Amino acid sequence: METLVRIAEGLGRFSARFVPSAFAIAVLLSLLTMGLAMGWAGAEPPKVLDAWGGGFWELLTFSMQMALVMFTGYLLALTRPVRWLLERVAGLAHTPRGAVTLMASVSMGLAYINWGLSLVASAMLVRFIARRRPDVDYRLLVACAYFGLGATWHAGLSASAPLLVATPGHFLEKSIGVLPIDTTLFSAFNLGLTAVVVAGLTLLAWALHPKPENTVRVDPAVLEKLADFVPPERPAEKSPAIWMDNSRLLNLVFGGLGVLWLGRHLWMNGGWRALNLNVVNFTFLMSAVLLHGTPARLLKASEEAAGVLSGIVLQFPLYAGIYGIFKATGLTDRIGELFVSLSTKETFPAIVYLYSGVVNYFVPSGGSKWAIEAPYLLDAAKTLGVAPEKVVLAYAWGDMATDLIQPFWALPLLGVARLEFKDILGFLLVAFLAYLPLVTLAFFLFG
C-alpha cells in the first residue's frame, strides 16, 4: 500500500515538474497530430492546415452542450435541496480514506447512470467533502471524482456507441443490423467487468491515500472559494421590476411549462430511452429554475456557475481541430490498418480496445469518433469472424480508458476544484496503469 502511495507521489512530482497546463497539452497534441498526418498519412501541409482550421468549428454544438452540462448542473447544485443532499452524502465520510473511497464509488456509480450527471455531481461533491474533511488529500479526492469518466460511463446507460447501434435506423444498420443492449451493455461480460473495475478502483482509492504527514490538504484560499452560495437579499425598495425579479410566479410558470414539455417528450418517445444530452440539459435547467424560486436567485447563481466554463470555451475548439485532421487526412485509417494487421480472431477485441484508447487520447469524443472508426473496424471484424457486439464493447471500453489521463473531460471538474490537471495526474496514472492491463486481459479472454 505504501509502495503505491510512493509511486503516485513520485508520478505527481514528475507531472508537477514536467507536465504543462491542459491548454499546453492540447496545443502539443495538435502539433503532434499535424506531424503524424504529414509524416505517416502522407497528407500535404496545406491540406493538414485546412483540416485543422476547418475542424475548429465542427464541434460547436457539442461544445455548447458540454458548457451547458456544467452550467446547468452547477445551477442545480447551488439550490437548497441539492446542497442538502450533497451535504448528507459528504457526511458519510468519517475518515480521509473513507472520503476518497466515497468519492470514487459515487463518481463511478453516477457515470454508469449518466456521464453528464457524474461530471456535474462529482465536481460539486468535491467541494462538500473538502469542507467537511479538510484533512483529506485534496489532489486524490479530485482525482477520484474523475474515475467515473474513465471507468464506467461508456459501459453504462449513457454509452454512445452501444446505444447508437441499438437504435433502429442507425447509420450501420445495413451492415450489422440492430444490436439490442442485452448483447452489449447488459451482457454478462460487460456487467461483470464493470463490477470488477468499480471494486478495484474503489479499493485503489483507499490504498492511495497518503499518511497524514504527507497529505496535501486543500488550500484555505480554495476552501474559501468553495463556501456556500449566498442568495441575494430582497431589496427594500418596491417597484414592479423588483417584484418580478423576486417573485416565485415567473419561475413557477416557466418551470411548469418545462415540466410539461419534458413529460410529453418522454411519453411520446419511449420513456427513459428518449434521454440524450439535450434532454438532460433541459431537465437540469428547468429543475434549477423551479428550485431557485425567483429570477434574482437564479441570476445570482448563474454568475457563479459561469466561472467554471473557461476551460471548455478555450480548449474544446483545439480538440475539434485535432478531430478535423483525423477525419480529413486519412490518419485514422492508417492507425486502424496498423492495429488490424496485428490482429487475429482471438486478439481482435483486445486490439480494438487498445486502438480505441490511443485514438481517444487525440480525439476524446466517443460518439463522433465512432462514426469515423466503426465502418472499417466492423468490416475487419467481419473478415476475421468476430461478432459485431464484441467490437462495440471493445471500442466503448477503449474509448473511455484513456480519459483517465486526458484533461479534456476533466476541465469542468478542475474548474470547480481550482486545480491544474498536473496536480491530479500522478494518482490518475497509477489508476490507469492498474486498470489498463486488467481490461486488456479481459478482452483477450473475451476474444
Side-chain angles (χ1 to χ4, degrees):
M1 184 170 65
E2 289 304 320
T3 302
L4 281 176
V5 175
R6 285 196 296 271
I7 292 173
E9 290 177 339
L11 290 172
R13 288 190 296 270
F14 174 86
S15 61
R17 183 173 175 81
F18 294 104
V19 177
S21 65
F23 176 78
I25 291 174
V27 172
L28 292 172
L29 285 175
S30 300
L31 297 175
L32 177 59
T33 307
M34 290 178 180
L36 289 173
M38 290 183 287
W40 189 14
E44 295 294 327
K47 182 177 182 180
V48 174
L49 188 64
D50 290 342
W52 174 70
F56 252 62
W57 317 117
E58 289 201 20
L59 299 180
L60 279 180
T61 299
F62 178 66
S63 300
M64 186 61 178
Q65 288 172 325
M66 282 302 303
L68 285 171
V69 164
M70 198 64 226
F71 180 74
T72 59
Y74 206 125
L75 280 181
L76 186 59
L78 292 176
T79 62
R80 287 177 181 172
V82 176
R83 293 205 318 268
W84 178 87
L85 178 61
L86 291 175
E87 284 280 13
R88 294 300 176 275
V89 173
L92 298 175
H94 302 297
T95 64
R97 289 188 189 276
V100 295
T101 302
L102 174 69
M103 188 72 259
S105 58
V106 168
S107 172
M108 290 186 285
L110 289 175
Y112 184 83
I113 298 171
N114 183 279
W115 65 266
L117 179 62
S118 175
L119 195 67
V120 172
S122 297
M124 298 309 302
L125 186 57
V126 162
R127 61 191 288 169
F128 289 94
I129 293 179
R131 285 169 47 208
R132 277 184 170 266
R133 302 278 349 165
D135 54 344
V136 70
D137 190 290
Y138 189 59
R139 305 160 305 167
L140 178 58
L141 181 69
V142 176
C144 290
Y146 194 45
F147 277 8
L149 268 293
T152 56
W153 86 265
H154 218 151
L157 302 180
S158 62
S160 300
L163 290 180
L164 180 65
V165 298
T167 304
H170 69 87
F171 73 100
L172 297 166
E173 184 175 2
K174 290 184 178 179
S175 59
I176 64 171
V178 175
L179 302 181
I181 56 175
D182 58 353
T183 65
T184 54
L185 298 180
F186 292 153
S187 66
F189 172 82
N190 189 64
L191 293 174
L193 183 57
T194 302
V196 170
V197 166
V198 169
L201 287 182
T202 302
L203 180 62
L204 182 65
W206 182 88
L208 281 175
H209 199 283
K211 292 180 178 179
E213 61 269 22
N214 297 325
T215 295
V216 176
R217 293 173 172 80
V218 60
D219 188 312
V222 172
L223 195 60
E224 187 175 342
K225 292 178 181 178
L226 301 181
D228 270 332
F229 167 70
V230 180
E233 295 183 3
R234 182 165 185 156
E237 179 187 352
K238 293 183 179 180
S239 70
I242 290 176
W243 179 83
M244 282 188 287
D245 283 340
N246 291 274
S247 170
R248 293 181 176 272
L249 181 61
L250 289 179
N251 283 42
L252 187 62
V253 171
F254 188 68
L257 289 173
V259 171
L260 287 175
W261 179 88
L262 180 63
R264 177 178 169 81
H265 176 76
L266 295 178
W267 175 263
M268 296 180 66
N269 293 280
W272 65 270
R273 295 179 181 83
L275 289 176
N276 55 42
L277 200 51
N278 292 330
V279 175
V280 169
N281 282 337
F282 184 88
T283 304
F284 281 1
L285 178 59
M286 291 303 154
S287 299
V289 167
L290 289 170
L291 293 177
H292 276 292
T294 69
R297 290 183 179 180
L298 183 68
L299 290 173
K300 177 70 180 300
S302 70
E303 292 175 3
E304 181 174 332
V308 302
L309 300 181
S310 59
I312 294 175
V313 175
L314 180 63
Q315 294 176 54
F316 272 38
L318 274 70
Y319 284 104
I322 295 173
Y323 166 75
I325 296 172
F326 267 81
K327 188 174 75 169
T329 64
L331 183 57
T332 306
D333 293 343
R334 293 302 302 273
I335 297 174
E337 289 166 4
L338 173 64
F339 278 91
V340 170
S341 69
L342 302 174
S343 304
T344 64
K345 179 179 179 180
E346 290 74 24
T347 63
F348 189 67
I351 296 296
V352 170
Y353 167 70
L354 295 171
Y355 158 71
S356 180
V358 170
V359 179
N360 177 69
Y361 196 79
F362 292 89
V363 189
S365 176
S368 300
K369 190 163 68 68
W370 173 246
I372 300 171
E373 299 172 35
Y376 60 81
L377 287 180
L378 290 167
D379 283 347
K382 186 176 182 180
T383 301
L384 293 170
V386 178
E389 56 266 26
K390 292 188 176 185
V391 178
V392 173
L393 278 180
Y395 166 86
W397 277 87
D399 177 69
M400 68 180 170
T402 44
D403 283 341
L404 277 174
I405 54 173
Q406 223 287 359
F408 181 80
W409 296 108
L411 294 173
L413 170 65
L414 296 170
V416 173
R418 270 68 173 188
L419 287 181
E420 289 279 351
F421 188 65
K422 60 186 178 183
D423 297 322
I424 64 174
L425 184 56
F427 294 107
L428 293 176
L429 280 169
V430 172
F432 177 72
L433 293 174
Y435 164 70
L436 185 69
L438 171 66
V439 181
T440 303
L441 176 62
F443 274 104
F444 268 119
L445 298 176
F446 189 45

